[in-house]
Amino acid sequence: TLHLAGAPVALADFRCLNPRMPAEGGGRLVYDMRVHGDTAEYTVANADLRSGGATVEGDATIARIHPAAGRSTVLVRGADVTVSRLSTELLHRLVPSVAIPRRGVFDGHVAMDGSLDSLRVDGDVRFADARAGTSRLTARGVVGLTGGRSVRDLDLRLLPLQLATLSGAAGARLPALRGTVTGRLHADGTARALRLTGTLHSANGGGSLSGGGMVRPAGSRTRYDVAFTLDALNAAAFSPRAPNTHLTGALSARGRGFAPSTAEAVVAADL
């Protein structure tokens, strides 16, 4: 058992636990580490830490259960964290196991509880993408971070969302996207088969759409079975590979691919 309480405390004091901790910055926190049987438990409480212009406040407990004859499990218990001006570079230094495919700065609040394959999340986060601009999302539902990404009964509000951030984070699993959207989404499924419903409004002259269906991301060979109601939709506002359109009415599509020259799809429209 290890118990540390600091007010003030320097982040550099924790380099014995994490060599990548910043040399500058500090604040206050209570840190406990307990090992009992097959479980190791790490708790940070009453934290108020600052490094450069960034602040991190809150509480969190992470437990790792590693049975002798089984696979290890990671549990998050009562995590409640507020951050301000937290860069992805600093976040990776504080928590090296976190992989973030985009560079930028986070502000917001997140509460989490559960195992990594069934983690209940309630958050309101703003991300200033260094290349794409600022997105703000609120999220409430269950996400899975192990064995392939998954979501369950996840409600999202986009206030707004930079689509380039989304496609950049997804890598080859999604085609290139662009533009800014606002709206609401409901999601269930995995990174290989995702059911989406909701309404999106383009913030840059692309109209709007509502509806949803099943999407199986695979880059240019993404499969889909979707149906939407369109209002002055310009597809080119969402993807650089899409043609300019001005569509109002109903549209459904089932197939794979997006480029007109290579897509294989059955499309029904009443426009």
Side-chain angles (χ1 to χ4, degrees):
T1 298
L2 174 66
H3 173 81
L4 299 173
V9 64
L11 292 179
D13 293 341
F14 292 93
R15 284 191 156 185
C16 60
L17 302 173
N18 174 11
R20 299 196 62 182
M21 275 287 182
E24 71 287 348
R28 71 168 189 266
L29 61 75
V30 176
Y31 176 80
D32 286 287
M33 180 177 69
R34 301 182 182 90
V35 178
H36 45 94
D38 60 5
T39 300
E41 187 173 270
Y42 310 89
T43 298
V44 174
N46 195 32
D48 183 356
L49 300 173
R50 301 170 187 272
S51 181
T55 63
V56 180
E57 301 173 275
D59 309 273
T61 295
I62 297 176
R64 185 184 184 197
I65 304 170
H66 195 168
R71 298 179 61 184
S72 63
T73 300
V74 176
L75 303 176
V76 178
R77 296 171 175 164
D80 193 308
V81 179
T82 299
V83 303
S84 175
R85 299 180 64 187
L86 178 63
S87 69
T88 51
E89 179 183 4
L90 178 57
L91 178 58
H92 186 63
R93 293 176 69 185
L94 293 172
V95 190
S97 61
V98 173
I100 302 173
R102 303 289 287 188
R103 291 179 58 251
V105 177
F106 288 100
D107 292 271
H109 168 261
V110 177
M112 297 181 290
D113 196 88
S115 63
L116 292 189
D117 60 357
S118 184
L119 189 63
R120 183 160 294 280
V121 175
D122 187 350
D124 183 345
V125 175
R126 180 180 287 106
F127 180 62
D129 189 309
R131 296 179 61 186
T134 299
S135 298
R136 180 189 169 200
L137 281 78
T138 67
R140 178 175 293 180
V142 178
V143 300
L145 303 177
T146 59
R149 303 292 189 263
S150 65
V151 295
R152 186 171 75 250
D153 195 25
L154 181 65
D155 286 309
L156 300 169
R157 294 180 65 198
L158 318 179
L159 303 165
L161 171 66
Q162 304 295 338
L163 292 177
T165 297
L166 175 63
S167 61
R173 293 187 299 272
L174 282 179
L177 299 173
R178 67 182 178 187
T180 305
V181 296
T182 60
R184 293 174 179 256
L185 291 174
H186 183 85
D188 278 285
T190 70
R192 295 185 177 182
L194 186 62
R195 182 169 295 279
L196 292 168
T197 59
T199 300
L200 297 177
H201 304 277
S202 170
N204 45 294
S208 64
L209 72 160
S210 61
M214 180 65 74
V215 179
R216 302 179 185 275
S220 63
R221 305 299 287 174
T222 293
R223 291 182 175 272
Y224 43 83
D225 186 354
V226 296
F228 297 105
T229 299
L230 316 177
D231 184 7
L233 184 78
N234 180 8
F238 299 91
S239 171
R241 298 179 181 178
N244 285 299
T245 62
H246 189 82
L247 305 175
T248 297
L251 177 70
S252 63
R254 181 175 60 189
R256 63 181 179 182
F258 298 96
S261 60
T262 59
E264 301 173 6
V266 176
V267 178
D270 184 3
L271 304 172

mmCIF file of all heavy atoms in Angstrom, residues 5 9 23-24 36 67 107 147 160 171 186 191 194 213 224 238 245 248 259 268:
data_model
loop_
_atom_site.group_PDB
_atom_site.id
_atom_site.type_symbol
_atom_site.label_atom_id
_atom_site.label_comp_id
_atom_site.label_asym_id
_atom_site.label_seq_id
_atom_site.Cartn_x
_atom_site.Cartn_y
_atom_site.Cartn_z
ATOM 1 N N ALA A 5 -0.132 12.296 -0.083
ATOM 2 C CA ALA A 5 -1.002 13.473 -0.073
ATOM 3 C C ALA A 5 -0.116 14.698 -0.211
ATOM 4 O O ALA A 5 0.844 14.860 0.549
ATOM 5 C CB ALA A 5 -1.823 13.540 1.215
ATOM 6 N N VAL A 9 2.076 19.716 -4.479
ATOM 7 C CA VAL A 9 2.845 18.590 -4.969
ATOM 8 C C VAL A 9 3.359 18.952 -6.359
ATOM 9 O O VAL A 9 2.691 19.674 -7.110
ATOM 10 C CB VAL A 9 1.987 17.310 -5.020
ATOM 11 C CG1 VAL A 9 0.851 17.452 -6.023
ATOM 12 C CG2 VAL A 9 2.831 16.092 -5.360
ATOM 13 N N ALA A 23 8.234 17.841 -16.188
ATOM 14 C CA ALA A 23 9.119 18.339 -15.137
ATOM 15 C C ALA A 23 8.527 19.562 -14.459
ATOM 16 O O ALA A 23 8.862 19.860 -13.304
ATOM 17 C CB ALA A 23 10.490 18.669 -15.732
ATOM 18 N N GLU A 24 7.644 20.272 -15.170
ATOM 19 C CA GLU A 24 7.062 21.485 -14.628
ATOM 20 C C GLU A 24 5.607 21.243 -14.232
ATOM 21 O O GLU A 24 4.947 20.339 -14.751
ATOM 22 C CB GLU A 24 7.131 22.627 -15.648
ATOM 23 C CG GLU A 24 6.185 22.490 -16.842
ATOM 24 C CD GLU A 24 6.597 21.432 -17.849
ATOM 25 O OE1 GLU A 24 7.733 20.941 -17.770
ATOM 26 O OE2 GLU A 24 5.769 21.102 -18.717
ATOM 27 N N HIS A 36 -3.864 -6.040 -3.506
ATOM 28 C CA HIS A 36 -4.374 -7.091 -2.635
ATOM 29 C C HIS A 36 -4.837 -8.253 -3.504
ATOM 30 O O HIS A 36 -5.696 -8.107 -4.372
ATOM 31 C CB HIS A 36 -5.509 -6.578 -1.733
ATOM 32 C CG HIS A 36 -6.528 -5.737 -2.435
ATOM 33 N ND1 HIS A 36 -7.702 -6.236 -2.960
ATOM 34 C CD2 HIS A 36 -6.528 -4.407 -2.717
ATOM 35 C CE1 HIS A 36 -8.389 -5.258 -3.522
ATOM 36 N NE2 HIS A 36 -7.711 -4.135 -3.394
ATOM 37 N N PRO A 67 -6.367 -12.272 -12.635
ATOM 38 C CA PRO A 67 -6.383 -13.619 -12.061
ATOM 39 C C PRO A 67 -5.228 -14.454 -12.610
ATOM 40 O O PRO A 67 -4.821 -14.300 -13.762
ATOM 41 C CB PRO A 67 -7.740 -14.186 -12.511
ATOM 42 C CG PRO A 67 -8.542 -12.998 -12.922
ATOM 43 C CD PRO A 67 -7.572 -11.985 -13.409
ATOM 44 N N ASP A 107 -11.042 20.765 -23.633
ATOM 45 C CA ASP A 107 -11.668 21.430 -22.495
ATOM 46 C C ASP A 107 -12.966 20.690 -22.218
ATOM 47 O O ASP A 107 -13.668 20.293 -23.162
ATOM 48 C CB ASP A 107 -12.000 22.896 -22.805
ATOM 49 C CG ASP A 107 -10.773 23.761 -22.966
ATOM 50 O OD1 ASP A 107 -10.307 24.311 -21.944
ATOM 51 O OD2 ASP A 107 -10.280 23.897 -24.110
ATOM 52 N N GLY A 147 -11.191 -5.191 -27.241
ATOM 53 C CA GLY A 147 -11.767 -6.181 -28.149
ATOM 54 C C GLY A 147 -12.457 -5.567 -29.345
ATOM 55 O O GLY A 147 -13.419 -6.122 -29.864
ATOM 56 N N PRO A 160 -20.477 22.286 -32.528
ATOM 57 C CA PRO A 160 -20.703 21.394 -33.663
ATOM 58 C C PRO A 160 -19.653 20.285 -33.682
ATOM 59 O O PRO A 160 -18.847 20.149 -32.762
ATOM 60 C CB PRO A 160 -20.483 22.329 -34.844
ATOM 61 C CG PRO A 160 -19.328 23.198 -34.355
ATOM 62 C CD PRO A 160 -19.522 23.361 -32.874
ATOM 63 N N GLY A 171 -9.226 7.051 -39.342
ATOM 64 C CA GLY A 171 -8.230 6.529 -40.276
ATOM 65 C C GLY A 171 -8.882 5.943 -41.513
ATOM 66 O O GLY A 171 -9.844 6.493 -42.062
ATOM 67 N N HIS A 186 -27.829 8.931 -32.409
ATOM 68 C CA HIS A 186 -27.934 7.796 -31.484
ATOM 69 C C HIS A 186 -27.199 6.635 -32.139
ATOM 70 O O HIS A 186 -27.410 6.347 -33.325
ATOM 71 C CB HIS A 186 -29.388 7.423 -31.234
ATOM 72 C CG HIS A 186 -29.547 6.319 -30.229
ATOM 73 N ND1 HIS A 186 -29.572 6.558 -28.874
ATOM 74 C CD2 HIS A 186 -29.662 4.981 -30.371
ATOM 75 C CE1 HIS A 186 -29.707 5.417 -28.228
ATOM 76 N NE2 HIS A 186 -29.764 4.442 -29.120
ATOM 77 N N ALA A 191 -17.139 -0.899 -34.250
ATOM 78 C CA ALA A 191 -16.427 -0.199 -35.315
ATOM 79 C C ALA A 191 -16.583 -0.899 -36.652
ATOM 80 O O ALA A 191 -16.339 -0.311 -37.706
ATOM 81 C CB ALA A 191 -14.944 -0.090 -34.962
ATOM 82 N N LEU A 194 -22.046 -0.512 -37.327
ATOM 83 C CA LEU A 194 -22.568 0.544 -36.488
ATOM 84 C C LEU A 194 -23.941 0.984 -36.986
ATOM 85 O O LEU A 194 -24.109 1.318 -38.160
ATOM 86 C CB LEU A 194 -21.610 1.729 -36.516
ATOM 87 C CG LEU A 194 -21.903 2.892 -35.584
ATOM 88 C CD1 LEU A 194 -21.851 2.445 -34.129
ATOM 89 C CD2 LEU A 194 -20.907 4.017 -35.834
ATOM 90 N N GLY A 213 -29.462 4.117 -40.338
ATOM 91 C CA GLY A 213 -29.345 2.748 -40.823
ATOM 92 C C GLY A 213 -28.049 2.130 -40.350
ATOM 93 O O GLY A 213 -27.426 2.592 -39.388
ATOM 94 N N TYR A 224 -23.147 -0.070 -46.494
ATOM 95 C CA TYR A 224 -24.198 0.707 -45.848
ATOM 96 C C TYR A 224 -25.563 0.211 -46.292
ATOM 97 O O TYR A 224 -25.740 -0.364 -47.373
ATOM 98 C CB TYR A 224 -24.047 2.191 -46.184
ATOM 99 C CG TYR A 224 -23.732 2.443 -47.640
ATOM 100 C CD1 TYR A 224 -24.730 2.495 -48.604
ATOM 101 C CD2 TYR A 224 -22.412 2.599 -48.058
ATOM 102 C CE1 TYR A 224 -24.439 2.693 -49.944
ATOM 103 C CE2 TYR A 224 -22.101 2.799 -49.395
ATOM 104 C CZ TYR A 224 -23.114 2.847 -50.327
ATOM 105 O OH TYR A 224 -22.807 3.038 -51.652
ATOM 106 N N PHE A 238 -19.966 17.591 -47.572
ATOM 107 C CA PHE A 238 -19.581 16.604 -46.566
ATOM 108 C C PHE A 238 -18.370 15.775 -46.980
ATOM 109 O O PHE A 238 -17.683 15.232 -46.117
ATOM 110 C CB PHE A 238 -20.757 15.652 -46.286
ATOM 111 C CG PHE A 238 -21.980 16.350 -45.758
ATOM 112 C CD1 PHE A 238 -22.950 16.819 -46.626
ATOM 113 C CD2 PHE A 238 -22.143 16.541 -44.402
ATOM 114 C CE1 PHE A 238 -24.072 17.468 -46.147
ATOM 115 C CE2 PHE A 238 -23.268 17.180 -43.910
ATOM 116 C CZ PHE A 238 -24.235 17.655 -44.779
ATOM 117 N N THR A 245 -24.634 18.720 -55.217
ATOM 118 C CA THR A 245 -26.051 18.369 -55.338
ATOM 119 C C THR A 245 -26.896 19.428 -54.642
ATOM 120 O O THR A 245 -26.389 20.270 -53.888
ATOM 121 C CB THR A 245 -26.347 17.002 -54.697
ATOM 122 O OG1 THR A 245 -26.051 17.072 -53.292
ATOM 123 C CG2 THR A 245 -25.516 15.896 -55.335
ATOM 124 N N THR A 248 -33.742 17.533 -52.195
ATOM 125 C CA THR A 248 -34.795 17.566 -51.186
ATOM 126 C C THR A 248 -35.739 16.404 -51.456
ATOM 127 O O THR A 248 -36.190 16.208 -52.582
ATOM 128 C CB THR A 248 -35.572 18.894 -51.230
ATOM 129 O OG1 THR A 248 -34.670 19.969 -50.903
ATOM 130 C CG2 THR A 248 -36.718 18.881 -50.223
ATOM 131 N N ALA A 259 -17.475 6.617 -54.272
ATOM 132 C CA ALA A 259 -17.107 7.259 -55.531
ATOM 133 C C ALA A 259 -18.015 6.762 -56.653
ATOM 134 O O ALA A 259 -18.224 5.552 -56.804
ATOM 135 C CB ALA A 259 -15.652 6.960 -55.870
ATOM 136 N N ALA A 268 -32.636 4.180 -54.117
ATOM 137 C CA ALA A 268 -34.029 4.564 -54.417
ATOM 138 C C ALA A 268 -34.216 6.000 -53.960
ATOM 139 O O ALA A 268 -33.818 6.357 -52.847
ATOM 140 C CB ALA A 268 -35.014 3.633 -53.715
#
